[in-house]
């Protein structure tokens, strides 16, 4: 099963993608997590990506397309994968289609987690992320057991640099300009499914399972 998670920053793509990956035993591929790991490790890719991410801008297509095209051809992707944060532009979507066509495959579903902008700012200011293992929390809806410490790996959890309100505002603008057109792109391919992202996380997941099958 090959699934794309669409939605605004903070819509809950990552939260849902992790559960999809667990339930269907497929890898969760998050381009944001890949960039953050590169930033943490001080790689050249990380240094380049950080200059864009800190401003709430997209990393240029050429830095991300090849990375994902290689990743989805690895052995653990044979039974499918869930893409979180990719594609984010029409050229990325076209490059993904071309990479899959080369191996006679195509995407099965693009799931749009629909959350209005008004809800996003609140969610982002409360989000805490573990930069070590990628787990995410929310200070009100999913707090860590010990304040400030990741339940999963014991590292500190932090407010991401790009979750500051002024950067979130820019990310939302970028989303509307560059990523939202993908909704029509996948509608035309007849693989778009929309779920209401403004409901408890368990209910969002139930709606997704109804689409993907139990
Ligand atoms: P990325 O990490 O992909 O960020 P994003 O798309 O902006 O998405 P987020 O991770 O912020 O949010 P999410 O939708 O996963 O929400 P989450 O589940 O955490 O990318 C970061 C940056 O990297 C980009 O800005 C860009 O610069 C660069 N980048 C990445 N991919 C790229 C690409 N392909 N091309 C170019 N550049 C790229 O949930 C958010 C919060 O809400 C959490 O606290 C969560 O607990 C809470 N929450 C979740 N669901 C619910 C619910 N139902 N009710 C209440 N709270 C909820």
């Amino acid at each position: 099963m090959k699934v794309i998670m669409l939605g605004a920053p903070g819509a809950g793509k990552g939260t849902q993608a992790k559960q999809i990956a667990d339930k269907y035993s497929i890898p969760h591929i998050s381009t944001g997590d890949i960039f953050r790991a590169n930033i943490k490790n001080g790689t050249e890719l990380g240094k380049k990506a950080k200059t864009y991410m800190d401003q709430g801008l997209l990393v240029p297509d050429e830095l991300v397309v090849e990375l994902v095209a290689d990743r989805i051809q690895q052995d653990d992707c044979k039974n499918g994968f869930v893409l979180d944060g990719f594609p984010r532009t029409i050229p990325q979507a076209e490059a993904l289609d071309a990479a899959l066509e080369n191996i006679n495959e195509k995407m099965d579903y693009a799931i749009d987690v629909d959350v209005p902008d008004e809800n996003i700012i609140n969610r982002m200011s409360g989000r805490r992320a573990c930069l070590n293992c990628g787990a995410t929390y929310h200070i009100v809806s999913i707090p860590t057991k010990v304040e400030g410490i990741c339940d999963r790996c014991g590292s500190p959890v932090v407010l991401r640099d790009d979750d500051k309100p002024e950067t979130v505002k820019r990310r939302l603008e970028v989303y509307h300009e560059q990523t939202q057109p993908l909704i029509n792109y996948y509608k035309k391919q007849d693989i778009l499914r929309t779920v209401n992202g403004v409901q408890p996380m368990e209910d969002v997941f139930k709606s997704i399972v109804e689409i993907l099958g139990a």
Side-chain angles (χ1 to χ4, degrees), residues 30-176:
S30 156
T31 43
D33 285 352
I34 294 172
F35 288 137
R36 281 184 287 278
N38 274 274
I39 292 171
K40 186 169 168 251
N41 296 329
T43 68
E44 275 311 304
L45 174 65
K47 283 179 199 155
K48 283 186 194 156
K50 187 170 175 10
T51 60
Y52 298 95
M53 290 169 75
D54 284 352
Q55 297 177 68
L57 301 175
L58 295 186
V59 174
D61 290 342
E62 58 272 23
L63 291 184
V64 66
V65 160
E66 211 171 306
L67 189 141
V68 176
D70 286 347
R71 179 66 188 90
I72 61 175
Q73 291 185 48
Q74 288 172 15
D75 271 358
D76 63 336
C77 291
K78 278 201 175 109
N79 294 325
F81 45 83
V82 52
L83 290 177
D84 164 16
F86 183 95
R88 254 185 156 96
T89 62
I90 297 282
Q92 289 183 17
E94 289 170 347
L96 174 65
D97 283 348
L100 287 169
E101 218 173 288
N102 275 340
I103 50 171
N104 287 323
E105 299 276 358
K106 58 186 181 53
M107 293 306 303
D108 297 308
Y109 295 102
I111 297 182
D112 179 33
V113 183
D114 186 29
V115 176
D117 288 7
E118 308 83 86
N119 300 55
I120 298 282
I121 307 257
N122 262 346
R123 280 197 189 179
M124 306 296 253
S125 58
R127 172 164 61 181
R128 294 295 177 271
C130 174
L131 299 182
N132 183 46
C133 74
T136 48
Y137 303 88
H138 189 279
I139 49 174
V140 178
S141 49
I142 337 174
T144 51
K145 290 189 186 116
V146 178
E147 197 182 326
I149 300 294
C150 178
D151 295 351
R152 211 201 282 169
C153 74
S155 300
V157 295
V158 295
L159 178 71
R160 271 169 40 182
D161 284 343
D162 61 347
D163 278 352
K164 293 175 181 139
E166 57 287 3
T167 317
V168 170
K169 204 166 153 263
R170 183 72 192 119
R171 285 164 68 196
L172 278 170
E173 287 163 5
V174 168
Y175 166 75
H176 290 300

